Amino acid sequence: MTDTGKQALAALIDSDLGVYTTGGFTTGEGPGLDLISPIDGELIGTVREASEGQLDAAVASARATFNERSWADDGAHRAEVLRRLADLVVDNAEQIAYLDGIEAGKVFADSVAEDVEDVAANLRFSADLISRDDGRHLQGPEGWGWVRRIPIGVVGAILPWNYPIAMLGWKVAPALAAGNAMIIKPSEDSTLSALHFASLAEQAGVPDGILHVLTGTGANIGAAMGLHPDIDVLTFTGSGPVGRSFLESSAKSNLKKVSLELGGRAAYIVDAEHAGDFDAIASDIAGAAFGTSGQNCTAASRVVFVGDDDAAFERFRSALVAAAEAVTVGDPFTDGTDIGPVINAKALDRITAWVDEAVNKGARILNTTAEVPTSGTWYPPTVIEGVPADSELGRGEIFGPLTQLLRTSSRDEAVAAINDEPYGLASTVWCEDLGTAKWWSDRIRVGTLAVNGYSEGTVATPFGGLRQSGFWGRDNGPEALETYQETMTVWIAPQ
Ligand code: NAD
């Protein structure tokens, strides 16, 4: 199963090919980056980072290739290339899933079935969109107008590690479809699948100079991209403080557009009056809260039971505990594993410290937590109750396999618990009465509201956050294409 993955790993690591740029793969000219697997804490290999000089050269090449226009002007050709790339991504599912498994602890079977498929779907969806894009035309006595959507130019993408290949797909598919050139910096915790993707892009016919992948840390290549005077739009998924820094660096440099997806504290509301099968709901919550070890910006990190019936609440709590205890934690490459490790020691230390603080202040862990391996960075699925508001867990994004159980007696209190948060990315409501479900959707203010089952929508639905969960652009849907386009008016005077 993983032989092809091991070959893909060796091809990148053994020759230290951490940079894909004009002319193909090369070695970084920056410091060495140790790649540590969260599964066992072992060194996977060392790859040298790109230097700032290599970033400058990549941006210059991207600009020159964009200006040459054959890519930007030929939407039909781009659509054809993106469809070929989608097929190659599916053909390389095992290699990609292996790289994300070994480097980021992603569950191999989930990556093959979901993340890789999502990239292919996004490439095909974006190809379809661009095939139909001919702008808007106007006509009148004042003249004749053409409102065009044109590519912005050079896109910088700074990626997270939690869904390495899927987040790359969310950015690359619309940005390339729109006709831009791109510089991608994967997270230093998950750099390899992006490099493998670059080799597929080359095979698919993405022209030399259009796509660049640079291994590097946030502090050097990431910060340099934020300040770069010739990157026109920067798209980012990650933490709030880093996202905010890009707004500052945009102001200090060339006023590049900045599109930010900054995570959340999603709630999963159970409207007890209209919720039938608590076991089925709890099982859905376990997937929403613990999938990808809770390292998901839409993870259900709070479960809000709405209702006054104490006996119903006890039944629901037992179902939730049972669902958490049924989650299988283990080797991401073993069939049947639900969740693997958390990304690194820093994340593990933070999760542990936040839970310890909450417990010291009176919170209670409800489930019997699973045994986890002692090497690598692991945290067991955890359900916690009574988290004080004045704790880190009471305020922050845990980004780990943990959910807190809350209870309100009124729907309005539950709405306030979501809308009063600085985060506004996503939430789920379980409510089997259609009219009441509409009531919830009229009041809850988040970017994505899932009803009667956790979901982030599809490649056709826009994804992004309200309030401090995001800034400006959207991933997915036709809205993502617009994030990488400018509007231009051509006005032809009557003769
Ligand atoms: P991060 O924001 O530090 O890293 C995300 C990306 O930003 C990486 O590519 C990183 O190299 C880059 N980066 C880091 N510092 C930078 C800087 N100063 N300038 C430019 N680029 C920089 O996130 P993290 O440390 O990997 O994770 C910390 C927290 O971020 C998580 O606990 C979670 O709350 C949040 N996060 C959210 C998402 C999401 O999907 N919204 C994804 C990953 C992390």
Side-chain angles (χ1 to χ4, degrees), residues 98-155:
Y98 178 77
L99 296 172
D100 281 354
I102 196 96
E103 214 185 351
K106 299 277 303 181
V107 172
F108 179 84
D110 291 352
S111 289
V112 170
E114 294 164 21
D115 300 27
V116 169
E117 286 297 327
D118 188 73
V119 178
N122 222 321
L123 289 162
R124 293 181 182 129
F125 177 77
S126 301
D128 288 349
L129 277 183
I130 203 69
S131 305
R132 317 192 272 269
D133 182 26
D134 55 2
R136 187 154 55 94
H137 299 90
L138 302 97
Q139 204 175 337
E142 316 90 337
W144 180 85
W146 180 19
V147 182
R148 310 175 63 186
R149 308 259 348 157
I150 57 171
I152 296 188
V154 178
V155 175

Short mmCIF file of all heavy atoms in Angstrom, two decimals, residues 98-155:
data_model
loop_
_atom_site.label_atom_id
_atom_site.label_comp_id
_atom_site.label_asym_id
_atom_site.label_seq_id
_atom_site.Cartn_x
_atom_site.Cartn_y
_atom_site.Cartn_z
N TYR A 98 0.18 9.08 1.64
CA TYR A 98 1.31 8.59 2.43
C TYR A 98 2.11 9.78 2.98
O TYR A 98 2.46 9.82 4.17
CB TYR A 98 2.24 7.70 1.57
CG TYR A 98 3.44 7.23 2.35
CD1 TYR A 98 3.32 6.19 3.27
CD2 TYR A 98 4.68 7.86 2.21
CE1 TYR A 98 4.42 5.78 4.02
CE2 TYR A 98 5.77 7.46 2.95
CZ TYR A 98 5.64 6.42 3.85
OH TYR A 98 6.71 6.02 4.60
N LEU A 99 2.38 10.75 2.13
CA LEU A 99 3.19 11.91 2.56
C LEU A 99 2.47 12.69 3.66
O LEU A 99 3.09 13.07 4.67
CB LEU A 99 3.50 12.82 1.35
CG LEU A 99 4.37 12.17 0.27
CD1 LEU A 99 4.47 13.07 -0.97
CD2 LEU A 99 5.77 11.83 0.79
N ASP A 100 1.16 12.89 3.51
CA ASP A 100 0.42 13.61 4.56
C ASP A 100 0.29 12.76 5.83
O ASP A 100 0.22 13.30 6.94
CB ASP A 100 -0.97 14.03 4.06
CG ASP A 100 -0.91 15.29 3.18
OD1 ASP A 100 0.19 15.88 3.08
OD2 ASP A 100 -1.94 15.67 2.62
N GLY A 101 0.28 11.44 5.67
CA GLY A 101 0.20 10.55 6.83
C GLY A 101 1.49 10.58 7.64
O GLY A 101 1.47 10.77 8.86
N ILE A 102 2.61 10.45 6.94
CA ILE A 102 3.89 10.34 7.65
C ILE A 102 4.28 11.69 8.26
O ILE A 102 4.83 11.77 9.34
CB ILE A 102 4.99 9.80 6.70
CG1 ILE A 102 6.20 9.31 7.48
CG2 ILE A 102 5.44 10.76 5.66
CD1 ILE A 102 6.16 7.85 7.71
N GLU A 103 3.95 12.77 7.57
CA GLU A 103 4.43 14.08 8.01
C GLU A 103 3.45 14.78 8.96
O GLU A 103 3.86 15.49 9.87
CB GLU A 103 4.66 14.97 6.77
CG GLU A 103 5.81 15.92 6.94
CD GLU A 103 5.96 16.86 5.76
OE1 GLU A 103 5.28 16.69 4.74
OE2 GLU A 103 6.76 17.80 5.89
N ALA A 104 2.13 14.61 8.71
CA ALA A 104 1.15 15.35 9.52
C ALA A 104 0.26 14.42 10.34
O ALA A 104 -0.65 14.89 11.03
CB ALA A 104 0.28 16.23 8.61
N GLY A 105 0.49 13.09 10.26
CA GLY A 105 -0.30 12.16 11.05
C GLY A 105 -1.72 11.97 10.54
O GLY A 105 -2.59 11.46 11.26
N LYS A 106 -1.98 12.36 9.28
CA LYS A 106 -3.33 12.21 8.74
C LYS A 106 -3.67 10.73 8.53
O LYS A 106 -2.81 9.95 8.10
CB LYS A 106 -3.43 12.90 7.37
CG LYS A 106 -3.15 14.38 7.40
CD LYS A 106 -4.34 15.22 7.78
CE LYS A 106 -5.52 14.99 6.88
NZ LYS A 106 -6.66 15.84 7.26
N VAL A 107 -4.92 10.38 8.77
CA VAL A 107 -5.34 8.99 8.57
C VAL A 107 -5.36 8.70 7.06
O VAL A 107 -6.05 9.38 6.29
CB VAL A 107 -6.73 8.76 9.20
CG1 VAL A 107 -7.27 7.38 8.84
CG2 VAL A 107 -6.64 8.93 10.72
N PHE A 108 -4.56 7.70 6.68
CA PHE A 108 -4.32 7.40 5.26
C PHE A 108 -5.64 7.19 4.50
O PHE A 108 -5.86 7.79 3.44
CB PHE A 108 -3.42 6.16 5.17
CG PHE A 108 -3.11 5.71 3.78
CD1 PHE A 108 -2.07 6.29 3.06
CD2 PHE A 108 -3.85 4.70 3.18
CE1 PHE A 108 -1.79 5.88 1.76
CE2 PHE A 108 -3.57 4.28 1.89
CZ PHE A 108 -2.53 4.87 1.18
N ALA A 109 -6.51 6.36 5.04
CA ALA A 109 -7.75 6.02 4.32
C ALA A 109 -8.62 7.27 4.13
O ALA A 109 -9.24 7.44 3.08
CB ALA A 109 -8.52 4.95 5.08
N ASP A 110 -8.64 8.16 5.13
CA ASP A 110 -9.44 9.39 5.01
C ASP A 110 -8.85 10.30 3.93
O ASP A 110 -9.57 10.93 3.16
CB ASP A 110 -9.46 10.19 6.33
CG ASP A 110 -10.25 9.47 7.41
OD1 ASP A 110 -10.91 8.47 7.10
OD2 ASP A 110 -10.19 9.93 8.57
N SER A 111 -7.50 10.38 3.91
CA SER A 111 -6.87 11.24 2.91
C SER A 111 -7.20 10.77 1.50
O SER A 111 -7.51 11.57 0.63
CB SER A 111 -5.35 11.23 3.06
OG SER A 111 -4.97 11.91 4.20
N VAL A 112 -7.12 9.45 1.30
CA VAL A 112 -7.41 8.90 -0.04
C VAL A 112 -8.87 9.19 -0.40
O VAL A 112 -9.17 9.68 -1.49
CB VAL A 112 -7.13 7.39 -0.08
CG1 VAL A 112 -7.67 6.77 -1.37
CG2 VAL A 112 -5.64 7.11 0.06
N ALA A 113 -9.77 8.90 0.54
CA ALA A 113 -11.20 8.97 0.21
C ALA A 113 -11.74 10.40 0.20
O ALA A 113 -12.67 10.70 -0.53
CB ALA A 113 -12.00 8.14 1.21
N GLU A 114 -11.15 11.27 1.01
CA GLU A 114 -11.75 12.60 1.16
C GLU A 114 -10.83 13.72 0.65
O GLU A 114 -11.21 14.47 -0.25
CB GLU A 114 -12.09 12.86 2.64
CG GLU A 114 -13.19 11.93 3.13
CD GLU A 114 -13.30 11.88 4.65
OE1 GLU A 114 -12.82 12.81 5.31
OE2 GLU A 114 -13.86 10.89 5.15
N ASP A 115 -9.63 13.83 1.20
CA ASP A 115 -8.79 15.00 0.88
C ASP A 115 -8.38 15.00 -0.60
O ASP A 115 -8.49 16.02 -1.28
CB ASP A 115 -7.53 15.02 1.77
CG ASP A 115 -7.87 15.10 3.24
OD1 ASP A 115 -8.97 14.65 3.63
OD2 ASP A 115 -7.05 15.59 4.02
N VAL A 116 -7.90 13.85 -1.07
CA VAL A 116 -7.44 13.78 -2.46
C VAL A 116 -8.63 13.98 -3.41
O VAL A 116 -8.53 14.71 -4.40
CB VAL A 116 -6.73 12.43 -2.72
CG1 VAL A 116 -6.49 12.22 -4.20
CG2 VAL A 116 -5.41 12.37 -1.94
N GLU A 117 -9.75 13.36 -3.08
CA GLU A 117 -10.95 13.52 -3.92
C GLU A 117 -11.39 14.98 -3.94
O GLU A 117 -11.87 15.49 -4.96
CB GLU A 117 -12.10 12.65 -3.39
CG GLU A 117 -11.91 11.17 -3.66
CD GLU A 117 -11.88 10.84 -5.15
OE1 GLU A 117 -12.57 11.51 -5.94
OE2 GLU A 117 -11.13 9.91 -5.53
N ASP A 118 -11.24 15.66 -2.81
CA ASP A 118 -11.64 17.07 -2.73
C ASP A 118 -10.77 17.93 -3.65
O ASP A 118 -11.27 18.84 -4.32
CB ASP A 118 -11.51 17.53 -1.27
CG ASP A 118 -12.07 18.92 -1.04
OD1 ASP A 118 -13.30 19.05 -1.04
OD2 ASP A 118 -11.28 19.87 -0.89
N VAL A 119 -9.48 17.63 -3.69
CA VAL A 119 -8.58 18.39 -4.59
C VAL A 119 -9.02 18.21 -6.03
O VAL A 119 -9.15 19.17 -6.80
CB VAL A 119 -7.10 17.95 -4.42
CG1 VAL A 119 -6.21 18.72 -5.38
CG2 VAL A 119 -6.63 18.15 -2.99
N ALA A 120 -9.26 16.95 -6.41
CA ALA A 120 -9.67 16.67 -7.79
C ALA A 120 -10.99 17.37 -8.11
O ALA A 120 -11.14 17.99 -9.18
CB ALA A 120 -9.78 15.17 -8.01
N ALA A 121 -11.93 17.29 -7.18
CA ALA A 121 -13.24 17.92 -7.41
C ALA A 121 -13.09 19.44 -7.55
O ALA A 121 -13.73 20.07 -8.40
CB ALA A 121 -14.18 17.60 -6.24
N ASN A 122 -12.20 20.01 -6.75
CA ASN A 122 -12.00 21.46 -6.81
C ASN A 122 -11.36 21.88 -8.14
O ASN A 122 -11.74 22.89 -8.74
CB ASN A 122 -11.11 21.89 -5.63
CG ASN A 122 -11.62 23.17 -5.01
OD1 ASN A 122 -12.05 24.06 -5.71
ND2 ASN A 122 -11.57 23.25 -3.70
N LEU A 123 -10.39 21.08 -8.60
CA LEU A 123 -9.75 21.39 -9.89
C LEU A 123 -10.78 21.31 -11.01
O LEU A 123 -10.83 22.19 -11.89
CB LEU A 123 -8.60 20.42 -10.16
CG LEU A 123 -7.35 20.62 -9.27
CD1 LEU A 123 -6.46 19.38 -9.30
CD2 LEU A 123 -6.56 21.85 -9.72
N ARG A 124 -11.64 20.29 -10.97
CA ARG A 124 -12.65 20.13 -12.05
C ARG A 124 -13.71 21.23 -11.96
O ARG A 124 -14.12 21.78 -12.98
CB ARG A 124 -13.30 18.74 -11.95
CG ARG A 124 -12.30 17.64 -12.28
CD ARG A 124 -12.92 16.24 -12.22
NE ARG A 124 -11.89 15.24 -12.50
CZ ARG A 124 -11.64 14.18 -11.76
NH1 ARG A 124 -12.36 13.95 -10.67
NH2 ARG A 124 -10.68 13.34 -12.09
N PHE A 125 -14.12 21.54 -10.74
CA PHE A 125 -15.13 22.59 -10.56
C PHE A 125 -14.59 23.94 -11.08
O PHE A 125 -15.28 24.67 -11.80
CB PHE A 125 -15.50 22.70 -9.08
CG PHE A 125 -16.46 23.80 -8.75
CD1 PHE A 125 -17.82 23.66 -9.02
CD2 PHE A 125 -16.02 24.99 -8.17
CE1 PHE A 125 -18.71 24.68 -8.74
CE2 PHE A 125 -16.90 26.01 -7.87
CZ PHE A 125 -18.26 25.86 -8.16
N SER A 126 -13.34 24.24 -10.73
CA SER A 126 -12.75 25.51 -11.17
C SER A 126 -12.58 25.53 -12.68
O SER A 126 -12.76 26.58 -13.33
CB SER A 126 -11.39 25.73 -10.48
OG SER A 126 -11.57 25.74 -9.09
N ALA A 127 -12.22 24.38 -13.25
CA ALA A 127 -12.08 24.28 -14.72
C ALA A 127 -13.43 24.57 -15.38
O ALA A 127 -13.50 25.31 -16.37
CB ALA A 127 -11.57 22.90 -15.11
N ASP A 128 -14.50 24.02 -14.82
CA ASP A 128 -15.84 24.27 -15.39
C ASP A 128 -16.20 25.76 -15.30
O ASP A 128 -16.72 26.33 -16.24
CB ASP A 128 -16.92 23.48 -14.63
CG ASP A 128 -16.84 21.99 -14.93
OD1 ASP A 128 -16.10 21.61 -15.87
OD2 ASP A 128 -17.49 21.21 -14.22
N LEU A 129 -15.88 26.37 -14.15
CA LEU A 129 -16.24 27.78 -13.96
C LEU A 129 -15.57 28.66 -15.00
O LEU A 129 -16.19 29.54 -15.59
CB LEU A 129 -15.77 28.25 -12.58
CG LEU A 129 -16.64 27.98 -11.38
CD1 LEU A 129 -15.98 28.61 -10.15
CD2 LEU A 129 -18.04 28.54 -11.55
N ILE A 130 -14.28 28.42 -15.21
CA ILE A 130 -13.52 29.31 -16.08
C ILE A 130 -13.93 29.10 -17.55
O ILE A 130 -13.87 30.01 -18.36
CB ILE A 130 -12.00 29.14 -15.87
CG1 ILE A 130 -11.26 30.40 -16.33
CG2 ILE A 130 -11.43 27.92 -16.53
CD1 ILE A 130 -11.50 31.58 -15.44
N SER A 131 -14.42 27.90 -17.84
CA SER A 131 -14.84 27.62 -19.21
C SER A 131 -16.05 28.47 -19.61
O SER A 131 -16.30 28.67 -20.78
CB SER A 131 -15.21 26.15 -19.38
OG SER A 131 -14.15 25.35 -18.97
N ARG A 132 -16.82 28.95 -18.62
CA ARG A 132 -18.02 29.69 -18.95
C ARG A 132 -17.87 31.20 -18.69
O ARG A 132 -18.82 31.93 -18.75
CB ARG A 132 -19.21 29.29 -18.05
CG ARG A 132 -19.45 27.90 -17.77
CD ARG A 132 -20.84 27.76 -17.14
NE ARG A 132 -20.83 27.92 -15.70
CZ ARG A 132 -20.69 26.91 -14.86
NH1 ARG A 132 -20.54 25.69 -15.32
NH2 ARG A 132 -20.71 27.11 -13.56
N ASP A 133 -16.68 31.64 -18.30
CA ASP A 133 -16.51 33.01 -17.83
C ASP A 133 -16.29 33.97 -18.98
O ASP A 133 -15.20 34.07 -19.52
CB ASP A 133 -15.33 33.06 -16.86
CG ASP A 133 -15.14 34.45 -16.30
OD1 ASP A 133 -16.13 35.19 -16.24
OD2 ASP A 133 -14.00 34.77 -15.93
N ASP A 134 -17.33 34.70 -19.43
CA ASP A 134 -17.12 35.68 -20.50
C ASP A 134 -17.52 37.09 -20.07
O ASP A 134 -17.72 37.97 -20.88
CB ASP A 134 -17.87 35.27 -21.78
CG ASP A 134 -19.35 35.05 -21.51
OD1 ASP A 134 -19.78 35.26 -20.36
OD2 ASP A 134 -20.08 34.67 -22.43
N GLY A 135 -17.67 37.29 -18.77
CA GLY A 135 -17.93 38.64 -18.27
C GLY A 135 -19.36 39.10 -18.51
O GLY A 135 -20.24 38.31 -18.83
N ARG A 136 -19.57 40.39 -18.35
CA ARG A 136 -20.90 40.99 -18.44
C ARG A 136 -20.85 42.09 -19.49
O ARG A 136 -19.88 42.85 -19.53
CB ARG A 136 -21.21 41.58 -17.05
CG ARG A 136 -22.56 42.11 -16.82
CD ARG A 136 -22.90 42.04 -15.31
NE ARG A 136 -21.94 42.69 -14.44
CZ ARG A 136 -22.05 43.95 -14.00
NH1 ARG A 136 -23.07 44.69 -14.38
NH2 ARG A 136 -21.14 44.48 -13.19
N HIS A 137 -21.88 42.16 -20.33
CA HIS A 137 -21.87 43.15 -21.40
C HIS A 137 -23.02 44.14 -21.23
O HIS A 137 -24.10 43.76 -20.81
CB HIS A 137 -21.97 42.45 -22.76
CG HIS A 137 -20.82 41.53 -23.02
ND1 HIS A 137 -20.84 40.21 -22.65
CD2 HIS A 137 -19.62 41.76 -23.56
CE1 HIS A 137 -19.69 39.66 -22.95
NE2 HIS A 137 -18.92 40.58 -23.51
N LEU A 138 -22.78 45.40 -21.56
CA LEU A 138 -23.81 46.43 -21.45
C LEU A 138 -23.81 47.24 -22.74
O LEU A 138 -22.77 47.39 -23.39
CB LEU A 138 -23.52 47.38 -20.29
CG LEU A 138 -23.40 46.76 -18.92
CD1 LEU A 138 -21.94 46.52 -18.56
CD2 LEU A 138 -24.05 47.64 -17.89
N GLN A 139 -24.98 47.77 -23.07
CA GLN A 139 -25.08 48.53 -24.30
C GLN A 139 -26.07 49.66 -24.10
O GLN A 139 -27.10 49.47 -23.43
CB GLN A 139 -25.60 47.60 -25.40
CG GLN A 139 -25.23 48.04 -26.77
CD GLN A 139 -25.68 47.02 -27.80
OE1 GLN A 139 -25.86 45.85 -27.48
NE2 GLN A 139 -25.85 47.46 -29.02
N GLY A 140 -25.78 50.86 -24.64
CA GLY A 140 -26.72 51.98 -24.52
C GLY A 140 -26.24 53.13 -25.37
O GLY A 140 -25.22 53.02 -26.05
N PRO A 141 -26.98 54.24 -25.32
CA PRO A 141 -26.58 55.39 -26.15
C PRO A 141 -25.21 55.94 -25.76
O PRO A 141 -24.52 56.55 -26.57
CB PRO A 141 -27.69 56.42 -25.87
CG PRO A 141 -28.52 55.89 -24.76
CD PRO A 141 -28.23 54.45 -24.60
N GLU A 142 -24.78 55.69 -24.47
CA GLU A 142 -23.47 56.22 -24.03
C GLU A 142 -22.32 55.39 -24.58
O GLU A 142 -21.15 55.76 -24.44
CB GLU A 142 -23.34 56.20 -22.50
CG GLU A 142 -24.52 56.68 -21.73
CD GLU A 142 -25.51 55.55 -21.39
OE1 GLU A 142 -25.52 54.52 -22.10
OE2 GLU A 142 -26.29 55.72 -20.45
N GLY A 143 -22.61 54.21 -25.12
CA GLY A 143 -21.51 53.38 -25.63
C GLY A 143 -21.77 51.92 -25.33
O GLY A 143 -22.92 51.50 -25.14
N TRP A 144 -20.68 51.17 -25.28
CA TRP A 144 -20.77 49.74 -25.15
C TRP A 144 -19.78 49.31 -24.08
O TRP A 144 -18.63 49.77 -24.07
CB TRP A 144 -20.41 49.13 -26.51
CG TRP A 144 -20.45 47.65 -26.58
CD1 TRP A 144 -21.54 46.87 -26.82
CD2 TRP A 144 -19.35 46.77 -26.43
NE1 TRP A 144 -21.19 45.56 -26.82
CE2 TRP A 144 -19.83 45.45 -26.58
CE3 TRP A 144 -17.98 46.95 -26.17
CZ2 TRP A 144 -19.01 44.34 -26.49
CZ3 TRP A 144 -17.16 45.83 -26.08
CH2 TRP A 144 -17.68 44.54 -26.24
N GLY A 145 -20.23 48.52 -23.12
CA GLY A 145 -19.36 48.18 -22.01
C GLY A 145 -19.15 46.68 -21.84
O GLY A 145 -20.02 45.88 -22.16
N TRP A 146 -17.97 46.38 -21.36
CA TRP A 146 -17.61 44.99 -21.09
C TRP A 146 -17.00 44.97 -19.70
O TRP A 146 -15.98 45.62 -19.46
CB TRP A 146 -16.62 44.54 -22.16
CG TRP A 146 -16.14 43.12 -22.04
CD1 TRP A 146 -16.71 42.10 -21.37
CD2 TRP A 146 -14.96 42.59 -22.66
NE1 TRP A 146 -15.98 40.95 -21.52
CE2 TRP A 146 -14.91 41.22 -22.32
CE3 TRP A 146 -13.97 43.13 -23.49
CZ2 TRP A 146 -13.86 40.38 -22.76
CZ3 TRP A 146 -12.94 42.29 -23.93
CH2 TRP A 146 -12.90 40.93 -23.57
N VAL A 147 -17.67 44.28 -18.78
CA VAL A 147 -17.13 44.15 -17.42
C VAL A 147 -16.45 42.79 -17.34
O VAL A 147 -17.10 41.75 -17.40
CB VAL A 147 -18.25 44.27 -16.36
CG1 VAL A 147 -17.66 44.19 -14.96
CG2 VAL A 147 -19.01 45.57 -16.55
N ARG A 148 -15.14 42.84 -17.26
CA ARG A 148 -14.35 41.60 -17.32
C ARG A 148 -13.84 41.24 -15.94
O ARG A 148 -13.58 42.10 -15.10
CB ARG A 148 -13.12 41.81 -18.21
CG ARG A 148 -13.39 42.40 -19.53
CD ARG A 148 -12.08 42.65 -20.27
NE ARG A 148 -11.33 41.41 -20.54
CZ ARG A 148 -10.11 41.39 -21.07
NH1 ARG A 148 -9.48 42.51 -21.36
NH2 ARG A 148 -9.51 40.25 -21.30
N ARG A 149 -13.68 39.93 -15.71
CA ARG A 149 -12.97 39.50 -14.50
C ARG A 149 -11.59 39.06 -14.99
O ARG A 149 -11.47 38.14 -15.79
CB ARG A 149 -13.68 38.32 -13.82
CG ARG A 149 -15.15 38.58 -13.56
CD ARG A 149 -15.57 38.95 -12.19
NE ARG A 149 -14.66 38.79 -11.11
CZ ARG A 149 -14.75 39.49 -9.98
NH1 ARG A 149 -15.71 40.38 -9.83
NH2 ARG A 149 -13.91 39.30 -9.01
N ILE A 150 -10.56 39.76 -14.53
CA ILE A 150 -9.21 39.45 -15.01
C ILE A 150 -8.37 38.90 -13.86
O ILE A 150 -8.63 39.20 -12.69
CB ILE A 150 -8.53 40.71 -15.61
CG1 ILE A 150 -8.49 41.84 -14.58
CG2 ILE A 150 -9.25 41.16 -16.88
CD1 ILE A 150 -7.66 43.02 -15.01
N PRO A 151 -7.36 38.08 -14.17
CA PRO A 151 -6.53 37.56 -13.08
C PRO A 151 -5.79 38.69 -12.38
O PRO A 151 -5.48 39.72 -12.99
CB PRO A 151 -5.54 36.63 -13.81
CG PRO A 151 -5.62 36.99 -15.26
CD PRO A 151 -6.96 37.60 -15.50
N ILE A 152 -5.51 38.49 -11.08
CA ILE A 152 -4.83 39.56 -10.34
C ILE A 152 -3.36 39.63 -10.71
O ILE A 152 -2.80 40.69 -10.81
CB ILE A 152 -5.01 39.34 -8.81
CG1 ILE A 152 -6.51 39.46 -8.46
CG2 ILE A 152 -4.21 40.35 -8.04
CD1 ILE A 152 -6.80 39.46 -6.97
N GLY A 153 -2.72 38.47 -10.89
CA GLY A 153 -1.30 38.47 -11.26
C GLY A 153 -0.54 37.38 -10.54
O GLY A 153 -0.64 36.21 -10.90
N VAL A 154 0.19 37.75 -9.49
CA VAL A 154 0.98 36.76 -8.75
C VAL A 154 0.32 36.53 -7.39
O VAL A 154 0.15 37.47 -6.60
CB VAL A 154 2.44 37.23 -8.57
CG1 VAL A 154 3.22 36.20 -7.75
CG2 VAL A 154 3.09 37.44 -9.93
N VAL A 155 -0.07 35.29 -7.15
CA VAL A 155 -0.75 34.91 -5.91
C VAL A 155 0.27 34.24 -4.98
O VAL A 155 1.03 33.38 -5.42
CB VAL A 155 -1.88 33.90 -6.20
CG1 VAL A 155 -2.51 33.38 -4.91
CG2 VAL A 155 -2.93 34.51 -7.11
#
